[in-house]
Amino acid sequence: MNTNPALKEATVHAYQTLRSQTPWQHEGTGILHHRVLPFATLAPWLADPTFMALYEKIQSNTLVDIYRCHELWSLAQQARYVEGDVLEVGVWRGGTGAILASALKDSSDKTIFLADTFEGVVKAGMQDTRYKGGEHADTSVQLVESLMVQLALPNTRILKGIFPDDTQAAIPGKIAFLHCDVDVYSSSKDIVEWCLPRLSVGASLVFDDYGFFGCEGVTRFCNELRNRKDMRFIHNLNGHAIFVKLF
Ligand SMILES: C[S@@+](CC[C@H](N)C(=O)[O-])C[C@H]1O[C@@H](n2cnc3c(N)ncnc32)[C@H](O)[C@@H]1O
């Protein structure tokens, strides 16, 4: 435990804020939001020049902040010992896909499958609060292809269409790592149902948007998945839900 008096004061202040400010929610969801301000200050990305140089190159191709990008980088590197390939569903302009592919290109022969409609979000429904469908259509296969060429990432393969409906047949075997960044409940559910029988023991599933206001469909789906006994669930406060397949 840290005995720094300033930190003690900050933690007391945080609890007082928690008690005094009203949480907010999309009406009727029961999913409560409040300002979350962790106090730890470790910033490992700053000590990782390879990551920082890569982030500089891809930051205009991603909607994902540097904290989550670094977590993807770190988790993908750890996936090199897990059997199977990497799947990202929800590529948009290729930023996070490039991070996953860069993390593994020199240390494994894994293929990084990058699946997107390239026509925006699909399957928005009653479980979702803000998404209606068609968001994030401002991208193209050519744009992502050229980013992968520019970054010398031949370990990537782009799948255009709704996943799993249109493009599942392109993936031959096990999955070591899933990055699911599709913004809505039903897409997340269909992707995970496809993945579950293909996951290796030790595989990680990372869901973007867990806890973002407006992405309650993803939060709902992850909260359902938490009940499985073969998965370890981690909520680390940065907008990722992380699951690890245990057996
Ligand atoms: C928020 S964006 C992804 C952001 C990206 N990971 C980044 O680095 O910024 C969400 C993407 O999910 C895609 N998408 C949503 N559901 C999908 C599905 N079932 N199959 C394929 N793509 C899907 C959309 O087309 C959109 O490009």
Side-chain angles (χ1 to χ4, degrees):
M1 196 179 74
N2 194 314
T3 52
N4 177 342
L7 197 57
K8 177 69 190 152
E9 196 180 316
T11 58
V12 170
H13 177 70
Y15 188 58
Q16 283 167 350
T17 307
L18 188 71
R19 297 296 302 271
S20 63
Q21 289 185 358
T22 312
W24 57 91
Q25 64 172 300
H26 267 285
E27 207 180 321
T29 60
I31 297 174
L32 300 184
H33 294 260
H34 203 267
R35 184 55 56 210
V36 177
L37 288 171
F39 297 123
T41 48
L42 181 70
W45 38 91
L46 296 176
D48 187 341
T50 310
F51 170 79
M52 289 305 285
L54 175 63
Y55 184 74
E56 184 69 31
K57 288 181 192 149
I58 63 92
Q59 60 164 308
S60 58
N61 288 64
T62 188
L63 301 164
V64 176
D65 62 58
I66 193 167
Y67 308 126
R68 285 176 289 151
C69 282
H70 189 266
E71 186 158 76
L72 290 171
W73 168 254
S74 165
L75 286 169
Q77 285 175 331
Q78 293 173 66
R80 67 188 180 278
Y81 303 120
V82 181
E83 184 193 348
D85 290 315
V86 172
L87 170 62
E88 174 173 84
V89 190
V91 176
W92 189 56
R93 296 186 178 175
T96 52
I99 286 178
L100 300 176
S102 301
L104 285 162
K105 82 166 172 174
D106 295 328
S107 60
S108 83
D109 57 2
K110 293 184 188 308
T111 300
I112 318 305
F113 291 98
L114 302 176
D116 204 296
T117 62
F118 295 97
E119 292 173 4
V121 169
V122 288
K123 304 186 186 178
M126 299 289 283
Q127 304 274 22
D128 305 298
T129 48
R130 186 176 284 168
Y131 278 82
K132 304 285 175 237
E135 296 84 358
H136 309 305
D138 49 347
T139 183
S140 67
V141 170
Q142 293 72 19
L143 191 152
V144 174
E145 258 169 9
S146 80
L147 181 69
M148 299 307 149
V149 169
Q150 191 193 321
L151 296 173
L153 295 170
N155 55 343
T156 52
R157 182 156 167 217
I158 296 171
L159 307 180
K160 176 172 167 37
I162 298 175
F163 193 90
D165 316 36
D166 302 331
T167 54
Q168 59 181 291
I171 303 183
K174 303 286 253 181
I175 298 293
F177 188 99
L178 168 70
H179 180 219
C180 186
D181 187 1
V182 295
D183 303 322
V184 296
Y185 179 93
S186 280
S187 265
S188 304
K189 189 170 194 295
D190 291 352
I191 292 158
V192 168
E193 281 175 0
W194 180 87
C195 272
L196 279 173
R198 295 167 176 83
L199 289 175
S200 297
V201 170
S204 304
L205 295 80
V206 181
F207 293 84
D208 200 74
D209 297 315
Y210 181 78
F212 280 98
F213 193 68
C215 297
E216 279 75 6
V218 175
T219 303
R220 277 190 169 123
F221 175 69
C222 291
N223 287 344
E224 289 173 15
L225 201 61
R226 288 168 70 156
N227 296 322
R228 290 182 66 96
K229 69 175 178 188
D230 61 341
M231 298 275 200
R232 179 78 69 249
F233 167 76
I234 301 156
H235 171 214
N236 67 358
L237 310 179
N238 69 357
H240 272 163
I242 302 170
F243 292 84
V244 180
K245 181 89 167 80
L246 299 176
F247 54 85

